[in-house]
Amino acid sequence: MFPAAFWQTPLLLILSNLFMTFAWYGHLKNFAGRPWYAAALASWGIALFEYLLQVPANRIGYGQLNLSQLKIIQEVISLSVFIPFAICYMDQPFRWDYVWAGLCLVGAVYFMFRG
């Protein structure tokens, strides 16, 4: 059986990335006609929840994973959350570049976790 860190860390990072993606990019759609500082305040409010999930995720994972492994997991999750967000929420077209970037991350995961 896997230690709790192997499922808690990715789960918390996925949730964290959902908040982060909305904080960073959601205002482009929701606050399009408002001043930048209104979008910044809304983004900061959302980002608080991102940090409330991300900090424990990294603290839990750091005991079982090294720093480089934690970072590469974060990047894979970030792209995995961003692509559906861009396509479904922001109405961006699918691009094959998403697939190629994902394959590059698979290679990065391999190198971070081998041996």
Side-chain angles (χ1 to χ4, degrees), residues 57-77:
N58 283 331
R59 291 178 67 95
I60 291 167
Y62 189 62
Q64 300 293 319
L65 304 164
N66 67 43
L67 189 60
S68 299
Q69 291 169 333
L70 272 173
K71 181 59 180 171
I72 203 65
I73 288 171
Q74 166 64 29
E75 294 305 326
V76 169
I77 290 171

Side-chain angles (χ1 to χ4, degrees), residues 25-40 90:
Y25 303 107
H27 65 85
L28 297 173
K29 184 174 184 177
N30 297 329
F31 285 76
R34 297 189 182 154
W36 70 266
Y37 51 84
M90 296 296 289

Side-chain angles (χ1 to χ4, degrees), residues 31-102:
F31 285 76
R34 297 189 182 154
W36 70 266
Y37 51 84
L41 289 173
S43 293
W44 286 344
I46 296 169
L48 171 65
F49 295 100
E50 183 245 333
Y51 275 92
L52 291 174
L53 295 164
Q54 179 267 340
V55 170
N58 283 331
R59 291 178 67 95
I60 291 167
Y62 189 62
Q64 300 293 319
L65 304 164
N66 67 43
L67 189 60
S68 299
Q69 291 169 333
L70 272 173
K71 181 59 180 171
I72 203 65
I73 288 171
Q74 166 64 29
E75 294 305 326
V76 169
I77 290 171
S78 181
L79 187 62
S80 300
V81 168
F82 177 78
I83 292 170
F85 171 84
I87 294 169
C88 298
Y89 187 76
M90 296 296 289
D91 301 318
Q92 298 292 301
F94 172 81
R95 297 180 51 198
W96 279 101
D97 291 339
Y98 297 149
V99 175
W100 310 137

